[in-house]
Amino acid sequence: MPKKKTGQRKKAEKQKERQREIRLAHLERNVADRPCNLLMECDQCKRKQKNRAFCYFCQAVQRLPVCAHCGKQKCMKSSDCLVRHPGTHVTGMAMVGAVCDFCEAWVCHGRKCLQSHACTCPLQDAICQECNRDVWDHGGRVFQCSFCTNFLCEDDQFEHQASCQVIESDSNKCGSCNKLGQYSCLRCKMCYCEDHVRRKGIKYNKGVDIPCPKCGHNTKETVNLAMSVRKYEYGRQGLDHDDEEGDDSYNYYGAGYASYPTDRPEVNIHINIKFTFVRWQI
C-alpha cells in the first residue's frame, strides 16, 4: 500500500506544477498578443501596420522601436545587456541589437532576447492559408483561425473563419465507414466515428481532445460545432460568366437545360431537336 502524502509534499507538488505552467505560459499565448505582432503606427506616413523594423510603405525607421521578444521600448539598468550603458536608460536605436528574419521586427540587445527569439519566434511559418503570403509580402498583422489554427493575414481572416466549418464531403458520415461522424477535424475537414478516430495501441487520456488520426490536430465533437457539408452550385446563374455583348442567355458553364428560359421558342426548338437526335442515335 503506497504511503499517504503529507501536506508538505502536496504543497511542493502543487508549487512545482504551477511553476511549470508559468514557464509554458508564453507558448500558449495568442499570436495577436505577441510583441512581434503588435499594432504599430508609422511616424512618417501615419499608417497602421504590424510591428516592424522599417515601415512597410515608406521604409522609415521608427523613433521608438519595440522589442519583438520582451516588448519593451526602454532598456533599464540591467546586467543582461550586451551593450553596456551603466547609469543610463536607453531608447531608440541605442536599445536594439538585431532584426528578426521571420517577423521583421527589432530585437533588443538583451542576452536572453538575442539568444532565444530566433528559435522561438511565433511567426516562423506564418504563411497565410488563403493567399500564401508571408510576413514580408504584406504589411498587416498575422492571426490564427480559431477553428483550424492556421495562419491568416489581416485581409483574409474574416472570410476564412466564416467558411472554415465546412466538411469536404457530401455528408457528416465517417470517411472510413458509413457511421455518423461524432468527431470532426477542422484542419482535414473530415469526420470520424468513435471507432476510427482512435488509433490502435495508443492510450488516450480522459478529458483531453483526441488528435486527428490523419494530421494530428485536435478534433472536436460535431454536436458542439456548426458544421456544414460541401455543396454544389447548379444552374447557369451559379457562375457569373457573361459574354462581351451582355447576353447571358447561354454560356458553357450552365449545368443543364433547366437553367434556360423556356419562354423563348428558339430555345425550346433547339432542346426538342437535340432530344430527338439522341433518341434516333439510340
Side-chain angles (χ1 to χ4, degrees):
M1 185 176 180
K3 294 183 179 180
K4 186 178 180 180
K5 294 182 180 179
T6 60
Q8 185 176 3
R9 184 178 179 183
K10 291 180 180 179
K11 185 178 180 180
E13 290 180 354
K14 288 182 180 180
Q15 185 178 4
K16 184 178 180 181
E17 183 66 23
R18 179 57 181 167
Q19 291 177 354
R20 178 177 174 275
E21 292 177 357
I22 293 174
R23 288 194 303 268
L24 300 178
H26 69 281
L27 300 177
E28 299 178 359
R29 292 176 61 187
N30 193 6
V31 180
D33 300 332
R34 296 296 184 99
C36 60
N37 199 27
L38 294 177
L39 185 63
M40 181 192 73
E41 184 176 354
C42 179
D43 300 332
Q44 301 294 331
C45 61
K46 303 300 181 181
R47 291 188 177 183
K48 294 182 179 181
Q49 55 193 292
K50 175 193 160 297
N51 181 22
R52 294 177 180 273
F54 307 97
C55 178
Y56 181 79
F57 303 98
C58 64
Q59 304 298 322
V61 181
Q62 301 305 304
R63 186 175 61 90
L64 294 175
V66 180
C67 178
H69 188 76
C70 60
K72 64 182 179 182
Q73 286 184 329
K74 179 187 290 186
C75 186
M76 311 298 286
K77 303 174 185 178
S78 176
S79 60
D80 189 41
C81 300
L82 296 179
V83 180
R84 300 294 181 180
H85 48 91
T88 57
H89 303 328
V90 295
T91 58
M93 296 303 296
M95 186 199 69
V96 300
V99 179
C100 180
D101 292 336
F102 302 110
C103 60
E104 198 186 352
W106 289 112
V107 181
C108 67
H109 56 219
R111 185 185 302 272
K112 180 181 178 181
C113 296
L114 290 175
Q115 289 181 349
S116 58
H117 177 74
C119 300
T120 61
C121 182
L123 303 182
Q124 292 183 7
D125 302 325
I127 299 177
C128 180
Q129 182 70 14
E130 296 291 333
C131 59
N132 295 327
R133 295 185 299 176
D134 56 358
V135 178
W136 293 80
D137 295 334
H138 64 91
R141 301 170 65 193
V142 180
F143 299 91
Q144 274 186 315
C145 179
S146 57
F147 303 110
C148 61
T149 65
N150 286 323
F151 288 102
L152 299 170
C153 65
E154 196 168 0
D155 300 331
D156 299 327
Q157 59 162 334
F158 296 109
E159 183 179 356
H160 173 83
Q161 293 188 91
S163 60
C164 186
Q165 299 186 74
V166 178
I167 301 175
E168 295 183 355
S169 61
D170 298 336
S171 62
N172 290 330
K173 294 183 179 180
C174 178
S176 301
C177 61
N178 204 25
K179 296 181 180 179
L180 183 63
Q182 301 178 5
Y183 299 91
S184 300
C185 178
L186 293 170
R187 182 169 292 182
C188 297
K189 309 298 182 184
M190 293 183 62
C191 289
Y192 300 96
C193 63
E194 185 69 28
D195 299 332
H196 292 95
V197 75
R198 302 177 185 272
R199 294 183 177 181
K200 295 182 179 180
I202 298 179
K203 184 179 180 180
Y204 297 95
N205 297 327
K206 188 176 182 180
V208 181
D209 294 336
I210 302 176
C212 176
K214 183 177 180 181
C215 65
H217 182 67
N218 291 336
T219 59
K220 303 292 183 181
E221 293 188 8
T222 310
V223 295
N224 297 332
L225 301 172
M227 300 297 294
S228 58
V229 297
R230 181 176 54 187
K231 61 180 180 179
Y232 300 93
E233 297 292 342
Y234 293 103
R236 181 174 55 86
Q237 302 294 341
L239 296 174
D240 188 10
H241 295 278
D242 299 342
D243 54 7
E244 297 179 356
E245 299 178 359
D247 186 12
D248 57 349
S249 61
Y250 178 81
N251 53 43
Y252 292 100
Y253 298 93
Y257 292 108
S259 60
Y260 292 97
T262 57
D263 55 345
R264 297 176 56 182
E266 57 271 15
V267 177
N268 294 332
I269 294 174
H270 173 72
I271 295 174
N272 295 334
I273 292 175
K274 192 160 187 177
F275 282 154
T276 305
F277 177 74
V278 173
R279 195 179 301 113
W280 178 77
Q281 289 281 356
I282 294 175

